[in-house]
Amino acid sequence: MNPGAPREVTGPRPGHEGKTPREFQIFVKPAGAICNLDCRYCYYLPKELLYPDTRSFRMAGGLLEDYIAQQIAITPGPEIQFMWHGGEPAILGLDYFRRIVELQRKHNPGGRRVVNNIQTNGVLLTEEWCRFLAAEHFAVGLSMDGPAELHDAYRLTKDGKATHRQVMQGYRLLRRHGIPVDLLCVVHAQNVGHPLAVYRFFKDIEAQYISFIPLVEPQPGSAGGVSGRTTPAEAFGAFLCAVFDEWIRHDIGRIIVQIFEEAARPALGLDHSLCIFRPTCGDVPVLEHNGDFYCCDHFVTPERRLGTLRETPLAELIESPALRAFGQAKQEALPRYCQVCDVRDMCNGGCPKDRIIRTPGGEPGLNYLCAGYRRFFEHCRPYMVQMAVLRWAGYPPETVMQQLQAAEARTPPRPGRNDPCPCGSGRKYKKCCLKA
């Protein structure tokens, strides 16, 4: 594939003034797949190979302005969201993002609320960067996989050096400037066995919002096979259950965990906000550095290229029949095994990229993480229903936490095997009532 060099666009083209009839988000890659790190599990770094003749992956100024103008023009509702992703978008430099904000003000004469989100590895953040992000009310997604020994297993520099110390410096700068930070933790083979170490580390650094992202790397040439870095499905379920049990007893109202928020939505009668758990998808397409438009961040491939902003208005790309079909295929390809599952409303088959194994009956299209998701959703559902009932009765979610703490305070902890037996026999518990 050789999409050609991006051409300069002098301003917004006519024909894109009408707003789209649905909500959407676009992951914009203003630096393409270019990054200052070489994280071993990164699925996006290889996307650079889609553009073998490209020397600069910097989104050209005219194309950037055209995109911003069209995004503002077609977004329904009072809030306009911009999602700056990579690669590493901060590699473009602070002046590039100052220009972004200038263009947003230029093309937003009605004064609607503009919300900018930037996803970063944090290594390039400085005081100057954070002053800007705070002043312009950016929200930041920061990648961090837990404490140093777990984070540094795969998140490395180009010359193979650890990054945790630099990321923590960036995190502290963000917090010092009062910038909202969503910590994105990839759950992989190295940290999945340490759920409480990971979660308590995030608590210790006063994390406010955490997203746990399971790593699934299909093994090329192996049907249903995965890499050694991939989190085992059952282990991922155990990871989520362990973190949930601590969160629901101690941290409701203090820490937001994205997957716990999503798990609560069916009990509250709400649609999922996270694309992987919706019945259909296709509402989070990708705009590459040269204007190429793709179905999804995980499907940036030649066959999933929908066109280019250099030739087609953004509204038409968003409403593309091919994008609609891509999103609908998630539901249409759902195996029968999933359709009759007790927790289907909490999962809806998960992300299509992970549907790489067969059901027990041999039907293709089962999510590799099915066993883990099922374990977690079955475990947390009673608590989510309880929280929903309390909410409808006018009680805050923290009530569940208080009820659990009170119940456990009334129930003496079970003795250990080598503790004195509570019956008063004087023998060890394992030698006495444990055997009964």
Side-chain angles (χ1 to χ4, degrees):
M1 173 182 180
N2 182 7
R7 69 173 175 85
E8 281 286 329
V9 183
T10 56
R13 294 184 302 274
H16 62 264
E17 291 82 1
K19 292 178 171 54
T20 60
R22 61 176 175 144
E23 299 288 341
F24 64 91
Q25 293 179 338
I26 299 174
F27 280 5
V28 186
K29 312 281 188 173
I34 304 303
C35 187
N36 55 321
L37 300 187
D38 192 18
C39 300
R40 298 295 184 255
Y41 54 57
C42 183
Y43 63 91
Y44 211 81
L45 285 175
K47 303 306 177 185
E48 180 182 350
L49 300 178
L50 291 172
Y51 304 97
D53 299 326
T54 298
R55 293 184 179 181
S56 172
F57 284 81
R58 185 185 190 89
M59 182 177 284
L63 180 61
L64 177 68
E65 180 169 6
D66 199 17
Y67 159 64
I68 289 172
Q70 293 193 50
Q71 172 87 0
I72 291 170
I74 71 172
T75 298
E79 183 175 283
I80 307 158
Q81 287 210 24
F82 289 88
M83 317 288 289
W84 307 104
H85 277 243
E88 174 52 52
I91 208 168
L92 294 169
L94 184 50
D95 284 344
Y96 192 91
F97 280 84
R98 289 191 176 113
R99 179 59 178 160
I100 284 173
V101 172
E102 289 174 3
L103 292 171
Q104 290 169 342
R105 289 183 179 133
K106 173 183 175 181
H107 293 284
N108 185 29
R112 286 192 293 161
R113 183 168 183 253
V114 171
V115 178
N116 282 291
N117 300 267
I118 183 171
Q119 174 62 34
T120 178
N121 57 46
V123 171
L124 299 175
L125 295 178
T126 62
E127 284 280 356
E128 189 179 15
W129 259 106
C130 290
R131 282 196 296 269
F132 166 80
L133 295 172
E136 300 300 340
H137 307 290
F138 273 64
V140 176
L142 181 68
S143 297
M144 188 187 299
D145 291 353
E149 63 274 16
L150 301 175
H151 172 97
D152 289 334
Y154 300 130
R155 299 196 65 82
L156 305 172
T157 63
K158 296 291 186 183
D159 54 356
K161 293 179 180 173
T163 63
H164 191 267
R165 181 182 59 82
Q166 295 165 282
V167 176
M168 281 301 301
Q169 288 175 346
Y171 173 73
R172 292 189 184 103
L173 280 172
L174 291 167
R175 292 301 306 275
R176 190 183 308 151
H177 286 268
I179 299 165
V181 181
D182 174 5
L183 290 178
L184 276 67
C185 174
V186 174
V187 182
H188 47 66
Q190 296 297 315
N191 62 7
V192 70
H194 307 277
L196 294 184
V198 171
Y199 182 61
R200 288 171 182 170
F201 168 77
F202 289 144
K203 288 211 292 185
D204 287 345
I205 64 172
E206 300 181 341
Q208 297 170 312
Y209 195 109
I210 307 169
S211 297
F212 291 116
I213 304 170
L215 177 64
V216 180
E217 289 183 322
Q219 193 77 359
S222 172
V226 293
S227 74
R229 291 187 290 255
T230 294
T231 177
E234 287 278 7
F236 180 60
F239 179 100
L240 292 176
C241 289
V243 173
F244 179 82
D245 286 346
E246 173 134 338
W247 173 82
I248 201 166
R249 284 165 173 80
H250 304 288
D251 301 315
I252 296 177
R254 292 179 53 243
I255 300 175
I256 296 173
V257 180
Q258 185 187 49
I259 192 169
F260 301 167
E261 293 280 298
E262 288 297 319
R265 294 181 76 87
L268 294 167
L270 301 173
D271 293 335
H272 283 293
S273 62
L274 189 61
C275 61
I276 64 171
F277 296 137
R278 293 176 190 158
T280 61
C281 57
D283 296 327
V284 193
V286 165
L287 181 67
E288 254 288 345
H289 71 287
N290 68 335
D292 285 352
F293 201 75
Y294 294 90
C295 290
C296 168
D297 194 45
H298 290 281
F299 290 87
V300 176
T301 60
E303 58 272 20
R304 294 298 185 185
R305 180 179 177 271
L306 301 171
T308 174
L309 190 62
R310 293 170 289 150
E311 300 171 357
T312 307
L314 186 60
E316 291 183 24
L317 292 167
I318 290 289
E319 297 299 332
S320 161
L323 183 57
R324 293 279 191 177
F326 170 82
Q328 192 62 33
K330 177 183 179 182
Q331 186 175 59
E332 294 172 350
L334 194 65
R336 173 68 179 167
Y337 180 80
C338 298
Q339 294 175 22
V340 299
C341 177
D342 291 340
V343 293
R344 175 186 170 177
D345 62 334
M346 303 178 83
C347 172
N348 286 303
C351 184
K353 76 177 179 65
D354 297 330
R355 294 181 179 182
I356 59 174
I357 61 174
R358 292 181 177 271
T359 68
E363 191 178 2
L366 183 64
N367 195 304
Y368 166 83
L369 295 164
C370 173
Y373 278 139
R374 185 164 191 155
R375 176 176 177 178
F376 167 66
F377 289 133
E378 288 177 345
H379 177 76
C380 75
R381 171 167 264 176
Y383 299 98
M384 298 308 186
V385 171
Q386 185 181 359
M387 280 197 285
V389 170
L390 288 166
R391 180 172 174 176
W392 291 328
Y395 293 95
E398 292 86 345
T399 306
V400 172
M401 182 171 65
Q402 295 160 0
Q403 290 176 343
L404 282 170
Q405 291 173 348
E408 290 173 359
R410 292 192 298 268
T411 304
R414 183 178 178 132
R417 290 172 51 82
N418 293 312
D419 291 339
C421 189
C423 74
S425 67
R427 291 184 291 173
K428 290 183 177 181
Y429 180 51
K430 67 181 179 182
K431 298 285 189 180
C432 191
C433 292
L434 181 61
K435 300 172 64 177

